[in-house]
Each structure stands twice: as structure tokens, then as C-alpha cells.
Amino acid sequence: MKVPFVSLKPLEKTIDKELRNAFDRVYGRSWYIEGEEDTAFEKAFAEYCDCKYAVGVGNGLDALMLALKALNIGPGDEVIVPSNTYIATALAVTYVGADVVFVEPDIRTFNINPALIEEKITDKTKAIMPVHLYGQACDMDPIVEIARKHGLYIIEDCAQAHGSTYKGKRIGSFSDIAGFSFYPGKNLGAFGDAGAVTTNNKEYADKVRALGNYGSDYKYHHIYKGHNSRLDEFQAAILSAKLPSLDEVNKNRRAAARKYLEGISNPKVILPYVLEDVEPVWHIFGIRCKERAALEKHLNDRGIGTNKHYPIPMHLQECYKDLGFKKGDFPIAEEISETELSIPMYYGMTDEEINYVIDAINSFE
């Protein structure tokens, strides 16, 4: 049997008619930028996230970068980010000219450890950027408390966690502003690059929209030195077709994750830990194993797709060598990067496929 790491086909087959209708609507109008589809999706996605505003942008990295700019964060400022995440989080900070300050994660959840944040705060710190990694919400209460105590902004990186909840409240609504990615493999994915910013602050929403439209608040009038980062009509239409299925998609992933958590019993494998007040959406199901390379080969030899998130931590990436970090400076991020292995997780996995993966992991010696 072959089990891919990810497959988009099951969902696309389920909502094939809706997707084709979405394409036909846009094609029929011959209107491809800043039209009815974008407006409709923004409204629906804001409501889904329990926010007043959503602004479509070109991709998830731009969402974070524009969010930072909307808060006037730039040169001379510091932004706290987790040491364990995809590099886009740090790049967004770098792109606005601010300095990245890494904070180690909780080894159990892979998310930023709130207990380690305050020691990294200086008089230059302007914001905390928690990442809801792999689809599990961060422990937001202490993060919000720290931000209020020190007068800091919170910018949620929600790129992997569409629909995840913390204490019954959806992520993207805990912060001053939040960024989402709709990369095709996400739980809510477009047919190309796409992203969005959510906020309850109209000023921030308006500024993000202007910044992403060449800095223009109306045609040929430019109030900022902006960017070209807009959600096009085709992607908005596809996302609108998929959004009504998102809760079912996440429910399906949770069911698969539950089978993994109950079925995987190999003592060499460390399973994900879920905080009591969190309902993950399992964008990624990441296990840990000291013998990762051997386990990866064991699974791949049996036709099971895998991935590693992320094999080189950010502080050891060549692009950030100017920060002067060395191996050992962030040991928890390094431990995760050396042991994490992501196993198949996608909407529509069959019980046979899930059990095949479980049996293969349990047979690893």
C-alpha cells in the first residue's frame, strides 16, 4: 500500500461542483482583481474567525509583513518570535527592518513557551508573534497577560491553524492583528499562493488594504510606499467554495489524529501533546523519534510519505548567520529539528490507510 504524505484529491472530489462553479463565476465576469469574490470571501472569513475585518493579500508571508507595518513596527524595534517555526515568521520581521528575538518552545507542544517570554523583553520590544504551529493553538492567556503588562502588540501567525480554538474561541481573534496563509496544502487552501489578515481594528484593516495595493487608499492616490499584495478573484472564489467545508475538514483530521494517538504505541516514538483548553486542527501530525532517519526510511520503504518540520532551525539558517547564533544556543528548537517526523495527515484518509501507518510505526525496531 502507498499512503502519500498529503493528498488534496479527496476534498477536491467532494466539492468538485462548487470549485468548478467558482471558476466559472470569475471567468464569466472577466474581473480578476478586487471584485465581488474578494469582498464576499473577506466578509465570510472574518465572520468565521469571529473578527470584524479580514483583508485578502497575496500570501501568508505578506500577511505577517503587512500586519507588522500596519502597527508601525520597523527599524529599531524588536519582535519576539518562537525559535521553532517556519522561517516566514522571522522573515516578516526582517522585511520591515525590525530585529528578531527568538524564544524557545514548549517541547511538548512545539509552540512558544509563555514562561520564557518576559526575560526577552527589552525597551525595544514592540510585539509578540505567537505561531499556532501544526494547527494547535498557543497557550494564549499568559501571552495576552504579558503583552498587556508590557504594552506590547500581539500578532498571531495562524498560517497552519485555520479553525483551531483556544478555550472555545477561534484563533485569529486573540490579537491586535493576525496573518493567515492559504497555501494549497493548508486546511483551507487556495489553488496557488494566497493569504489574509484578520483584526477587530478598522484602522489596521484599512492600512493593510492600502499597503497591499501600492499604498493606495483610492485609485492613483498613494498614502504609503506600499506593495503589490492582493487576493485575486480566482483564489477568493476557490476559498469561498472551500470555507463551508472547513469545519468538516478539521473534524475529519481530528478523527484521524485520534486514531494515531490511540493506536501508536512504539516506545521509541513521542506523540504530540495537546493542551487541555485547545482543539487542534492537525495541519501537521508531528511525532518525535531519536532514530528519525531510520524511522523515516522504515516508513518510506513501506510506501508511506513523510516530511520533516523543520530540519534546520531558524537561528542556524545561513540567511540569519548575521545574528551570530551557534549550535546549542536554542537547544529545544534544535532537539525538535533533529527528531521531528511528520506522518500522513489529510482530509479523506481511510481507516485502512491510517491503520497501515500505525502498524508500520509500531513495527519499527
Side-chain angles (χ1 to χ4, degrees):
M1 178 184 289
K2 288 189 178 296
V3 183
F5 174 67
V6 65
S7 175
L8 306 181
K9 289 295 183 184
L11 178 60
E12 291 172 355
K13 183 178 180 181
T14 300
I15 58 171
D16 178 78
K17 182 179 179 180
E18 291 87 344
L19 293 171
R20 292 181 186 276
N21 286 343
F23 179 90
D24 289 342
R25 283 199 313 273
V26 177
Y27 185 59
R29 291 192 189 108
S30 296
W31 189 286
Y32 303 112
I33 297 288
E34 294 185 313
E36 294 178 26
E37 297 293 341
D38 189 24
T39 299
F41 173 71
E42 289 178 347
K43 181 177 185 297
F45 191 65
E47 291 176 355
Y48 181 84
C49 295
D50 298 322
C51 287
K52 292 181 180 179
Y53 309 101
V55 181
V57 299
N59 55 69
L61 173 54
D62 282 359
L64 296 175
M65 182 265 292
L66 294 171
L68 286 160
K69 284 199 167 189
L71 301 177
N72 296 317
I73 293 173
D77 297 332
E78 295 177 348
V79 178
I80 290 173
V81 304
S83 59
N84 175 61
T85 185
Y86 185 55
I87 199 166
T89 312
L91 288 176
V93 178
T94 300
Y95 286 172
V96 301
D99 294 326
V100 176
V101 177
F102 294 125
V103 169
E104 287 274 68
D106 182 330
I107 189 66
R108 304 171 304 163
T109 65
F110 302 173
N111 282 334
I112 193 168
N113 188 340
L116 303 178
I117 291 175
E118 277 197 282
E119 65 189 49
K120 293 295 186 76
I121 294 174
T122 72
D123 58 0
K124 295 181 179 180
T125 307
K126 290 295 186 294
I128 305 169
M129 189 181 286
V131 182
H132 305 297
L133 201 64
Y134 298 1
Q136 176 167 195
C138 295
D139 189 4
M140 290 304 299
D141 278 357
I143 295 173
V144 170
E145 183 179 345
I146 291 168
R148 287 175 178 167
K149 176 181 176 181
H150 294 274
L152 306 177
Y153 293 116
I154 297 177
I155 305 156
E156 290 173 86
D157 183 338
C158 307
Q160 300 182 359
H162 317 66
S164 178
T165 62
Y166 175 79
K167 295 189 175 180
K169 184 180 178 182
R170 285 201 172 112
I171 54 92
S173 59
F174 288 89
S175 52
D176 296 281
I177 196 165
F180 287 82
S181 166
F182 302 123
Y183 182 79
K186 306 297 187 183
N187 293 30
L188 179 61
F191 280 3
D193 278 319
V197 170
T198 59
T199 181
N200 286 311
N201 186 303
K202 186 177 186 301
E203 178 185 344
Y204 300 158
D206 289 345
K207 189 170 182 180
V208 167
R209 189 177 302 283
L211 283 167
N213 188 32
Y214 298 96
S216 174
D217 55 348
Y218 59 89
K219 197 165 187 176
Y220 301 135
H221 183 258
H222 303 269
I223 54 178
Y224 308 112
K225 295 174 182 176
H227 305 263
N228 177 15
S229 183
R230 299 169 295 193
L231 178 64
D232 71 64
E233 288 288 279
F234 274 124
Q235 303 304 347
I238 293 300
L239 291 167
S240 288
K242 285 187 170 186
L243 182 58
S245 301
L246 180 55
D247 285 343
E248 182 60 32
V249 166
N250 291 340
K251 180 181 178 181
N252 184 272
R253 286 174 175 262
R254 285 194 294 269
R258 193 177 307 115
K259 290 184 174 71
Y260 278 154
L261 292 169
E262 293 172 354
I264 297 173
S265 58
N266 192 320
K268 291 187 175 182
V269 171
I270 300 173
L271 293 170
Y273 176 87
V274 179
L275 293 175
E276 182 178 351
D277 295 318
V278 169
E279 187 171 55
V281 294
W282 300 106
H283 173 60
I284 291 169
F285 193 95
I287 60 178
R288 289 200 299 121
C289 180
K290 293 287 188 182
E291 301 171 37
R292 179 177 66 186
L295 175 58
E296 183 177 33
K297 183 178 186 305
H298 175 82
L299 296 177
N300 294 168
D301 287 348
R302 286 156 178 77
I304 298 171
T306 57
N307 206 334
K308 295 184 284 289
H309 296 86
Y310 301 95
I312 304 175
M314 289 183 294
H315 67 284
L316 297 180
Q317 293 283 356
E318 186 172 351
C319 65
Y320 277 120
K321 65 182 180 181
D322 60 306
L323 298 181
F325 294 118
K326 63 184 183 304
K327 189 173 177 59
D329 285 342
F330 296 93
I332 300 176
E334 293 169 23
E335 169 79 9
I336 294 171
S337 72
E338 292 166 2
T339 60
E340 192 275 347
L341 185 67
S342 303
I343 61 176
M345 173 57 69
Y346 52 89
Y347 171 84
M349 285 188 73
T350 65
D351 287 346
E352 184 181 13
E353 289 170 331
I354 295 169
N355 290 332
Y356 182 71
V357 175
I358 291 171
D359 291 342
I361 292 174
N362 287 343
S363 69
F364 176 66
E365 298 180 351

